[in-house]
Amino acid sequence: MSSLKSYLAEKYMSGPKADAILAKTAPLKKKKRKAPTPAQTPSLANLRDEDGGWGPEEKEEADDVVEAVVASDRGFKKRRVEPTGEGSGWATLREGIKQESPPPAEDEKPVVVEEPKQFIGGLMTASQLQKTMGKKDVAPTVTTEEIAQAQETVYRDASGKKIDTKAARAEAARLKREREEKEAQKMEWGKGLVQRDEKEKQKLEMEKQRGKKFARHADDAELNEDMKAKELWNDPAAAFLTKSRAKGPRKPQYNGPPPPPNRFGIKPGYRWDGVDRGNGFEKKLFQSKNERKRKGLESYQWGAEDM
């Protein structure tokens, strides 16, 4: 019953009543006993082995006996060495030979770095500001060519590759020159042979006229020959001239093997290669005409045979 009350008071009750119930039912606390002080163990330095061994006991010399030192012995203290004049606690046993270390290399020597002066704000005169900031080198460190090269526009293609403008301009000029030469040749090829000959004659005539006088008279034989050589459409005496005059250029004609005949008698062009590309109608037409003529001739000969 007491255990139930104590359980209820501990779990579900509070206040002085619960404290009283718990105080009644609480088990008595056992008093702690003091641990007995251990007897002082004799020092190992005073122990002697009195048990005799086998044979006579030999006494060891006093110098060879090493006294044991126990940590619990309060009389043990560290030996203190008096400091020497140098101020360290070490005693020099034997001085060694001093070896001088070689001087450090140039790249291993310490470098003194000057810290930059901090800028101080506030009102300052020009001389104070110049001392604080220091003089700057105003002279340009780059040449005019480098400045112009840096300011030059960089052109790139679609893939991001840099385009050399000088090479591109030279290539464009070369292409333009080739194109103009081709156009000039095309214009020259477009002209006829007669126009080209006339142009050459005109050049030769200009070269001849360069060495002649400016004034030309009626007794000039070359001028008279040029006037006679001209053909006029209304010249009444042109029919009485016996000299054959060269006419203009004639149309070229076909001069190859004889072509197959056609019903209209049209000759092939001068570029024909001799291959008949027709459908054979002209050939059949001429065969039928020849067959009709042959039959008419045979019937006439048969009717006039008995005469």
Side-chain angles (χ1 to χ4, degrees):
M1 191 68 179
S2 60
S3 61
L4 179 60
K5 284 183 180 181
S6 62
Y7 177 78
L8 293 173
E10 184 181 357
K11 299 292 182 183
Y12 301 102
M13 294 175 68
S14 62
K17 190 174 181 181
D19 295 340
I21 294 171
L22 291 173
K24 289 180 180 180
T25 58
L28 296 175
K29 292 182 179 180
K30 295 181 179 180
K31 292 183 179 180
K32 292 182 179 180
R33 293 182 180 179
K34 290 184 180 181
T37 56
Q40 188 174 3
T41 56
S43 176
L44 294 176
N46 301 326
L47 292 178
R48 286 189 308 170
D49 188 9
E50 295 179 353
D51 187 10
W54 299 92
E57 185 178 3
E58 296 180 0
K59 294 182 179 180
E60 297 178 354
E61 296 180 359
D63 296 338
D64 297 338
V65 176
V66 180
E67 295 183 353
V69 180
V70 183
S72 60
D73 188 3
R74 300 300 178 185
F76 173 74
K77 291 183 180 180
K78 289 183 179 180
R79 180 188 176 196
R80 184 176 180 185
V81 181
E82 292 296 330
T84 59
E86 298 177 358
S88 63
W90 295 91
T92 305
L93 298 179
R94 193 179 82 185
E95 291 187 2
I97 301 169
K98 265 191 175 181
Q99 293 182 357
E100 295 182 0
S101 58
E106 290 293 332
D107 55 348
E108 295 181 359
K109 288 183 179 179
V111 181
V112 179
V113 181
E114 295 181 0
E115 295 183 357
K117 296 180 181 179
Q118 295 183 355
F119 178 75
I120 302 172
L123 295 174
M124 301 176 69
T125 62
S127 59
Q128 291 175 351
L129 183 63
Q130 190 173 5
K131 287 180 181 179
T132 306
M133 300 298 293
K135 291 184 179 181
K136 293 184 178 179
D137 190 7
V138 185
T141 56
V142 293
T143 60
T144 54
E145 296 180 357
E146 293 178 353
I147 294 171
Q149 188 176 4
Q151 291 177 352
E152 188 177 356
T153 307
V154 178
Y155 297 94
R156 298 182 183 276
D157 56 4
S159 62
K161 187 179 179 181
K162 188 184 290 185
I163 301 172
D164 190 0
T165 54
K166 294 181 180 178
R169 290 194 195 101
E171 184 69 17
R174 186 182 64 80
L175 294 175
K176 184 179 179 181
R177 187 166 57 253
E178 290 180 357
R179 187 167 58 252
E180 289 177 354
E181 290 177 359
K182 287 181 180 179
E183 289 178 359
Q185 290 177 0
K186 191 183 294 183
M187 292 292 293
E188 186 178 356
W189 293 341
K191 295 179 181 179
L193 299 174
V194 178
Q195 286 85 351
R196 192 180 301 175
D197 293 341
E198 287 179 356
K199 192 172 182 180
E200 293 293 330
K201 288 179 181 179
Q202 189 176 1
K203 284 183 180 179
L204 294 174
E205 186 66 24
M206 293 296 292
E207 291 293 332
K208 288 180 182 180
Q209 295 297 332
R210 184 180 295 178
K212 292 182 180 180
K213 296 180 180 179
F214 182 74
R216 304 185 73 177
H217 302 280
D219 58 349
D220 192 348
E222 189 175 354
L223 178 61
N224 292 332
E225 290 294 331
D226 291 341
M227 296 295 289
K228 286 179 183 180
K230 284 185 180 180
E231 294 183 4
L232 303 174
W233 65 274
N234 58 354
D235 186 6
F240 302 105
L241 295 175
T242 57
K243 185 178 179 181
S244 61
R245 299 185 178 274
K247 295 183 180 180
R250 296 181 180 180
K251 187 177 181 181
Q253 296 181 359
Y254 175 72
N255 297 323
N262 57 72
R263 51 188 160 166
F264 303 108
I266 300 174
K267 293 182 180 180
Y270 70 97
R271 291 192 180 93
W272 186 55
D273 56 355
V275 180
D276 187 7
R277 294 176 177 83
N279 56 2
F281 178 75
E282 299 288 337
K283 186 177 180 181
K284 290 179 181 179
L285 179 64
F286 280 100
Q287 285 179 356
S288 61
K289 285 183 179 182
N290 293 335
E291 186 71 22
R292 196 179 303 115
K293 287 180 181 180
R294 186 180 62 78
K295 285 182 179 180
L297 182 60
E298 285 180 356
S299 62
Y300 172 74
Q301 289 178 353
W302 183 77
E305 187 179 1
D306 298 337
M307 292 182 180

